[in-house]
Amino acid sequence: MIELSHVTKRFGDEMAVDDVSFKVAKGEFCALVGTSGCGKSTTLRMINRLLEHSEGEILLDGQPIRDFDAVQLRRRIGYVIQSTGLFPHWTVARNIGLVPRLLKWPSTKVHSRVEQLMHLLGLPVGEFAHKFPHQLSGGQAQRVGVARALAADPDILLMDEPFGALDPITREKLQEELRALQSRLHKTIVFVTHDIDEALQLANHLVVMRAGRVVQQGTPLELLHHPADKFVESMLGGVERGLKQAGLTRVADHMLPLSPTLPAQSRVPSSMSLRQALSVMLRDHTERLTVVDPHDMPVGELSMRKLIREPKADQGHDREH
Amino acid sequence: MTVNTRAATQASRSPWQIGIPLVWLLLLWLAVTGMAQLEGFFRLFEPDVRSVIYSRVDFSLLLGRHLFVVAIAALVTITLGLASGIAVTRKKGRDFLPLVSQLASMGQTFPPVAVLALAVPVLGFGTLPIIVALMLYGLLPIVRNTLTGLQEVDVGIKEAARAMGMTSGQILRQVELPMAAPVIMAGIRTSVTINIATAALGATVGASNLGDPIIAGIVNGNTAYVVQGALLIGLLALSVDSTFEQVQRRLKADESPRNK
Amino acid sequence: MSLKDAMPVEKGRLSWFSPNWVLLLLSTIALGAFFGLETASVAPNRIVSGTGYLVFSALGWQGALLGMVLILALIGFSCIAECQEYRDAYKAMLVIVMALLALMPFALMVATSRLVDSDLPQARLGIGAGFWVTLFVLLLALVELRTRLALARIWSWSLLLPIGLLWWLCLSLWLEPLALMREYHSRSEQFSEAFRQHLELVGTAVGVSLMLGMGLALLMRRYPRSQKAAFAILNFLQTIPSLALFGLLLAPLAWLAANLPLAASLGISGIGWAPALVALVAYSLLPMVRNTFIALEEVSPAVIDAAYGMGMDTRQVFLQVRLPLALPVMLEGVRITTVQAIGLTTVAALIGAGGFGTFVFQGLGQAAMDMVLLGALPILLMASVADALLGAVSDFLRPGGAK
């Protein structure tokens, strides 16, 4: 779908992006991670040609993006930025309908599309359609930003730290919603963030950048298991890497059959992450947890002792990718 | 004003710039004392008239009167403007803040000529009405900038000062005024520079100053007179304005190491 | 509020006394001016300065009493304005101030009938300092009340409009012996001619400088290197005294008229509208260019980035995003320019450009103060109305009431 090969961007003498290559398959969620100034935003902005790359090739469905008209190309690609960039002089509805109107959709179609999107993003039409951006909270404004990006149903979505300016609770909620949205819409997403947890939560392909170069890329588990160097390791949380890893697997994957002995007092749902389950063990001072299904019926158990002795089975798993 | 300050920050701070006001002052002095020597030059404007150098009153006397009017007005406006700006931002005077700040912006719509014309019926002809008009007109930028400057001081800083045990007087003198000084200074600069030009209007109500040659030139159709008046007022304005610029730069220089 | 905090002991005793100090001060000044200063003066003709009369002789004891009662009521209400139990004190005061403003022209009528000898055809009634000060203080009180009651702009207009109409009606129908009206009637044609000239000059100057200013600002955005030089030149133009700039243009334009037949046939000459217009435009350029430039530059880069990112082309970004967002600040420039031009056009009367300045300077020349007033008052009025109208337009254009 999107392929960057040996892409370079120079501002004068300064090398902002240096020989960057990666591929994003259709329907994949790719996160560009790195500290600020590492060139991740620049890379993103080259994909919709807000910046032109200096060298290398950027392909969209196998075609160099320079073959497209830049304006037409951008109308096919959704774009969300941290400060929302909503037009302050337009209502929410008009902001969302921007790209369809640019594409000259008939107004009734624009109208129904706007309502559909507001519904999709949990913005009641009656309440929000005629509000102006300055009347919205940060979370609401960013929902409108996402709705605007999705308006013309683009296959590709570029997101530049979309949740960076939100408070932790709103951020988590919007991350959750984005994940749910992605599981329904299957867009191809390139997502820039400096928050490694956000990247691990949302993406299935990570590209870690530093000083304009790609340091390492792969699935979240690949990176957690085999960080390429000290930088990636510290980025991934150093010693807390184990917990982050645990955060990516479900209790169900490590569950043992119910043992005939007395079941443990503490119960956790099988859909919980292993990380949260470990936290419950620490809180309740117990080595064993009873795993329950959504109907609160015991289906298995989790044992700290067994967890530690688990073979590193998922390593072989990773290599299949 | 925005542009002035922006240009001032961009320009590098080199020692020879302190000389700029002196250069303008020197030129002003040369123009006042040596205007008669420029007769050949002014002849170019008006080849046909008998006299091309305004000679009814000595230029140095006109300059002195002009400066006197502007200085008196400036003294009163700075004192009154600062005092009222400070008073209405204190706790006791806060009730007057909305009215004063609205007046400061509304007063800007009163044209100085109209103010001058209205002052004449009350005060008669001469120097007094022009001083009053300049006072009223020059007061507004100072009040407005004093208010802006004092209100822009970070609430956190004032609170910290209070928490350290400073009295309100100490906070005003040691925190608020020094921090607001560049903005207040910009207001004073605008006020005085505008008033130097506006004072020329006094010539129409019988106040004798550098506006005299201009009026005489317009009435007699003698451009040379107009140029002489305009030249002296321009040089005076540039001298004063560049002096203020140096002061402002000093104030900013004091502040920048703290900001960086 | 602050008083209550500072004196908790007296809270019980004087609980009703929580004044609005501003209005208390203003209404006390009004009372002082009403009784202490001359309400009106009478002169047998336009040159002789008149004899002044205090309120009792001008309005009679009935008029003085009515005025006193109303102003005392104002003082009373301002003493309890901040008290919790009397929430409507401000509204009551608004009503009283409006009533006083409406009664003032009638007071002039009373003074006319009492003081002006109808046998003298040139006898005239001058408005006294007491009247002016009271009027001024009442207008200030209105400003304060508007703030306290948080009245919307449209409301204050709809309150002031009927009062203005009433004044106009009284002035034009029944107040002929008023010095101002005598002055007006003897030159009503000149007056409307001056009004027309003034409007034309201001309108043309603002229109031309708007076009030029927009063009310049756009050029400066395209060629950033020119910015510093351009602003330096425009700043320099503003430091030339207006009087001098008008004077300096006399000679070149006279030369133009003498040597270019086309210029002469267009009506360009050394005196009159041509130098006035050139000078007005020169002065108007700085505020216009500065506001347009800053307005266009200050549009949030994130919004522009998003606009391009959504696939708007350069023209769409400019017309649909940058320009509408810049408009309120640009209009601010138009407002400043217009108000400034109204004042400067007055000075232009000195070089024969006409307008209300003609009355001002003729009046000054003849020491006829009523004539000066006839020129100066409309200028003040024009400037205030232009300021308010353009301010309202700019408010209206602010997207969704955003600041």
Side-chain angles (χ1 to χ4, degrees):
Chain A
M1 190 82 199
I2 306 172
E3 183 176 353
L4 280 76
S5 56
H6 307 291
V7 172
T8 295
K9 175 72 190 175
R10 268 187 299 269
F11 293 112
D13 288 336
E14 190 203 348
M15 203 70 139
V17 172
D18 186 4
D19 193 27
V20 163
S21 304
F22 62 87
K23 267 187 208 175
V24 188
K26 191 169 167 51
E28 203 174 31
F29 196 130
C30 168
L32 302 181
V33 203
T35 47
S36 49
C38 71
K40 52 193 196 302
S41 283
T42 309
T43 309
L44 188 81
R45 289 159 61 84
M46 286 191 289
I47 298 174
N48 65 357
R49 291 185 62 186
L50 282 174
L51 293 172
E52 296 291 345
H53 51 284
S54 311
E55 272 158 46
E57 193 98 77
I58 301 178
L59 301 174
L60 209 72
D61 292 330
Q63 231 181 326
I65 54 166
R66 287 210 171 122
D67 290 0
F68 299 99
D69 174 63
V71 168
Q72 298 301 326
L73 176 84
R74 291 181 201 137
R75 291 179 188 173
R76 285 180 43 198
I77 301 178
Y79 184 52
V80 185
I81 56 177
Q82 178 173 355
S83 51
T84 74
L86 293 179
F87 298 168
H89 57 312
W90 286 7
T91 60
V92 165
R94 196 162 172 207
N95 263 296
I96 297 176
L98 168 64
V99 184
R101 224 173 270 120
L102 287 175
L103 293 169
K104 306 224 159 46
W105 288 16
S107 66
T108 47
K109 197 177 159 196
V110 175
H111 206 75
S112 61
R113 178 64 181 160
V114 169
E115 290 196 353
Q116 190 188 345
L117 279 164
M118 291 186 68
H119 189 71
L120 185 71
L121 283 145
L123 298 160
V125 176
E127 187 183 342
F128 286 102
H130 298 291
K131 280 198 170 163
F132 284 91
H134 72 96
Q135 296 166 304
L136 304 177
S137 70
Q140 288 162 349
Q142 200 50 277
R143 277 169 217 262
V144 176
V146 175
R148 179 174 67 171
L150 289 171
D153 203 11
D155 297 325
I156 300 170
L157 207 53
L158 304 181
M159 308 181 91
D160 193 348
E161 304 213 18
F163 309 137
L166 304 175
D167 64 85
I169 293 168
T170 314
R171 188 189 313 158
E172 211 164 296
K173 202 162 157 218
L174 279 180
Q175 285 167 355
E176 198 51 55
E177 281 178 36
L178 178 63
R179 191 160 40 188
L181 216 59
Q182 169 65 353
S183 66
R184 280 171 63 187
L185 303 175
H186 304 292
K187 302 286 178 197
T188 306
I189 300 178
V190 184
F191 189 102
V192 163
T193 180
H194 62 257
D195 178 354
I196 189 71
D197 287 313
E198 185 171 65
L200 290 172
Q201 284 295 314
L202 294 170
N204 41 30
H205 187 83
L206 258 64
V207 178
V208 181
M209 291 184 70
R210 184 191 190 188
R213 292 177 148 271
V214 173
V215 191
Q216 189 179 12
Q217 54 180 308
T219 65
L221 282 175
E222 274 171 1
L223 261 66
L224 283 166
H225 285 178
H226 310 288
D229 57 14
K230 282 268 181 269
F231 172 73
V232 179
E233 194 176 345
S234 75
M235 182 111 205
L236 288 166
V239 275
E240 282 193 36
R241 225 168 78 214
L243 280 177
K244 298 215 162 156
Q245 211 168 314
L248 292 179
T249 55
R250 309 271 134 205
V251 166
D253 301 334
H254 303 271
M255 188 172 72
L256 302 168
L258 274 172
S259 65
T261 53
L262 207 63
Q265 287 289 311
S266 304
R267 294 168 160 230
V268 292
S270 61
S271 60
M272 193 184 243
S273 77
L274 188 57
R275 180 180 180 150
Q276 286 167 312
L278 288 170
S279 170
V280 173
M281 286 182 182
L282 285 173
R283 187 192 67 193
D284 295 353
H285 298 284
T286 174
E287 284 188 345
R288 290 195 310 145
L289 297 172
T290 303
V291 182
V292 295
D293 68 1
H295 308 291
D296 210 25
M297 290 299 293
V299 287
E301 65 170 30
L302 203 62
S303 153
M304 176 70 108
R305 211 169 286 176
K306 294 274 164 53
L307 272 177
I308 293 165
R309 295 206 185 120
E310 244 177 50
K312 292 189 172 179
D314 39 6
Q315 283 181 21
H317 220 62
D318 285 351
R319 298 223 167 87
E320 285 163 25
H321 280 284
Chain B
M1 235 166 62
T2 348
V3 181
N4 278 341
T5 43
R6 196 178 299 164
T9 39
Q10 275 168 3
S12 59
R13 221 174 280 124
S14 54
W16 63 267
Q17 279 179 325
I18 296 166
I20 293 179
L22 294 177
V23 173
W24 288 122
L25 272 173
L26 187 71
L27 281 175
L28 179 64
W29 180 73
L30 283 176
V32 168
T33 52
M35 195 69 91
Q37 270 76 48
L38 293 172
E39 189 170 348
F41 171 69
F42 287 113
R43 190 52 78 186
L44 295 176
F45 291 94
E46 298 288 342
D48 311 321
V49 291
R50 199 161 45 84
S51 136
V52 290
I53 302 292
Y54 184 81
S55 51
R56 206 173 304 158
V57 187
D58 193 43
F59 281 117
S60 53
L61 191 59
L62 290 180
L63 176 69
R65 287 173 182 161
H66 202 101
L67 266 177
F68 172 74
V69 167
V70 174
I72 293 276
L75 212 66
V76 178
T77 46
I78 293 171
T79 319
L80 262 180
L82 271 177
S84 60
I86 292 171
V88 299
T89 47
R90 300 305 100 191
K91 204 173 173 187
K92 279 182 185 157
R94 198 157 283 269
D95 287 351
F96 288 83
L97 179 61
L99 186 68
V100 168
S101 68
Q102 281 212 29
L103 274 187
S105 63
M106 268 166 40
Q108 217 68 16
T109 59
F110 289 5
V113 208
V115 176
L116 183 62
L118 291 178
V120 172
V122 186
L123 303 166
F125 285 90
T127 310
L128 202 56
I130 187 67
I131 291 184
V132 169
L134 291 188
M135 266 163 31
L136 288 179
Y137 206 62
L139 197 59
L140 303 168
I142 298 182
V143 172
R144 206 183 36 200
N145 279 39
T146 308
L147 287 180
T148 321
L150 288 176
Q151 283 172 332
E152 270 178 0
V153 175
D154 191 354
V155 184
I157 293 178
K158 281 189 273 189
E159 201 166 286
R162 187 162 303 123
M164 300 296 143
M166 290 174 93
T167 65
S168 3
Q170 286 168 329
I171 296 176
L172 176 66
R173 278 189 307 275
Q174 296 177 34
V175 181
E176 290 182 84
L177 282 180
M179 287 186 76
V183 183
I184 297 176
M185 209 56 210
I188 295 177
R189 179 181 174 183
T190 315
S191 160
V192 174
T193 316
I194 289 179
N195 274 354
I196 287 175
T198 313
L201 284 175
T204 60
V205 295
S208 161
N209 59 34
L210 288 174
D212 272 9
I214 298 178
I215 293 288
I218 290 174
V219 172
N220 304 329
N222 189 334
T223 310
Y225 287 0
V226 180
V227 175
Q228 285 151 29
L231 181 73
L232 292 179
I233 294 176
L235 284 175
L236 178 62
L238 285 169
S239 311
V240 173
D241 193 57
S242 56
T243 310
F244 272 116
E245 196 182 333
Q246 292 307 319
V247 177
Q248 268 182 306
R249 204 165 284 185
R250 195 49 74 75
L251 286 174
K252 278 205 191 90
D254 284 350
E255 195 153 276
S256 49
R258 263 179 274 150
N259 287 348
K260 281 209 168 167
Chain C
M1 279 298 287
S2 56
L3 190 85
K4 265 203 236 166
D5 294 343
M7 300 189 293
V9 191
E10 291 192 60
K11 207 173 171 182
R13 236 192 315 154
L14 274 174
S15 65
W16 56 269
F17 185 73
S18 44
N20 177 314
W21 289 103
V22 181
L23 288 168
L24 184 56
L25 180 72
L26 289 177
S27 40
T28 312
I29 293 176
L31 192 68
F34 186 69
F35 284 108
L37 295 172
E38 289 166 6
T39 307
S41 66
V42 176
N45 59 53
R46 63 186 293 228
I47 304 300
V48 179
S49 59
T51 21
Y53 293 93
L54 285 176
V55 67
F56 288 105
S57 26
L59 302 181
W61 66 267
Q62 301 97 328
L65 189 69
L66 179 64
M68 191 180 75
V69 167
L70 284 173
I71 297 177
L72 278 179
L74 219 49
I75 293 178
F77 277 121
S78 46
C79 284
I80 58 164
E82 289 294 320
C83 198
Q84 290 301 320
E85 291 105 87
Y86 307 104
R87 284 281 85 186
D88 290 335
Y90 282 122
K91 280 181 198 148
M93 282 158 93
L94 186 66
V95 172
I96 297 174
V97 171
M98 303 298 287
L100 275 167
L101 284 174
L103 282 173
M104 287 182 93
F106 294 99
L108 285 179
M109 275 149 70
V110 171
T112 310
S113 68
R114 287 176 61 94
L115 298 175
V116 177
D117 188 348
S118 50
D119 295 338
L120 291 171
Q122 278 299 309
R124 50 187 62 211
L125 185 84
I127 300 174
F131 193 91
W132 284 122
V133 173
T134 312
L135 178 64
F136 183 65
V137 167
L138 285 177
L139 288 175
L140 287 187
L142 208 59
V143 172
E144 170 71 10
L145 282 169
R146 203 191 72 176
T147 324
R148 294 290 161 191
L149 288 167
L151 287 184
R153 201 188 277 270
I154 196 118
W155 260 101
S156 24
W157 274 102
S158 48
L159 286 175
L160 272 180
L161 210 64
I163 302 270
L165 273 174
L166 188 70
W167 272 80
W168 178 76
L169 211 67
C170 291
L171 280 176
S172 55
L173 291 181
W174 301 300
L175 279 171
E176 207 186 317
L178 199 64
L180 207 58
M181 293 311 287
R182 283 250 197 269
E183 212 56 54
Y184 168 73
H185 279 301
S186 62
R187 59 198 90 233
S188 61
E189 266 173 41
Q190 275 171 280
F191 187 86
S192 29
E193 174 70 8
F195 184 47
R196 193 184 58 75
Q197 285 167 336
H198 213 105
L199 270 187
E200 265 179 18
L201 263 180
V202 170
T204 321
V206 171
V208 171
S209 61
L210 181 64
M211 308 284 247
L212 276 179
M214 282 269 288
L216 263 177
L218 291 178
L219 278 177
M220 280 159 63
R221 278 176 49 76
R222 176 152 299 183
Y223 306 104
R225 271 181 212 172
S226 65
Q227 284 167 19
K228 235 179 152 175
F231 274 126
I233 294 171
L234 293 175
N235 268 322
F236 172 72
L237 277 178
Q238 287 260 314
T239 56
I240 308 177
S242 54
L243 207 56
L245 191 56
F246 286 125
L248 288 176
L249 287 165
L250 291 178
L253 286 174
W255 182 86
L256 219 67
N259 293 286
L260 270 182
L262 178 70
S265 66
L266 281 174
I268 290 173
S269 71
I271 58 164
W273 63 267
L277 189 63
V278 175
L280 283 176
V281 170
Y283 274 115
S284 305
L285 273 180
L286 177 68
M288 204 68 106
V289 172
R290 189 165 55 194
N291 273 275
T292 312
F293 183 78
I294 290 174
L296 290 173
E297 285 287 293
E298 268 183 354
V299 174
S300 143
V303 170
I304 299 299
D305 185 53
Y308 280 115
M310 292 296 134
M312 288 179 123
D313 59 38
T314 316
R315 218 180 51 120
Q316 285 168 328
V317 172
F318 186 80
L319 290 179
Q320 295 187 38
V321 182
R322 203 185 276 280
L323 197 60
L325 284 176
L327 217 51
V329 183
M330 283 169 60
L331 262 170
E332 181 69 14
V334 175
R335 189 179 64 85
I336 295 171
T337 310
T338 310
V339 169
Q340 183 187 287
I342 289 172
L344 286 173
T345 304
T346 318
V347 183
L350 281 175
I351 51 165
F356 285 125
T358 325
F359 295 138
V360 173
F361 291 114
Q362 268 183 30
L364 287 175
Q366 304 169 3
M369 291 311 147
D370 298 325
M371 195 167 169
V372 175
L373 276 187
L374 188 67
L377 285 180
I379 295 165
L380 279 186
L381 218 65
M382 267 176 89
S384 316
V385 169
D387 183 67
L389 276 181
L390 287 167
V393 173
S394 148
D395 272 4
F396 175 73
L397 283 175
R398 242 167 254 274
K403 290 270 168 184

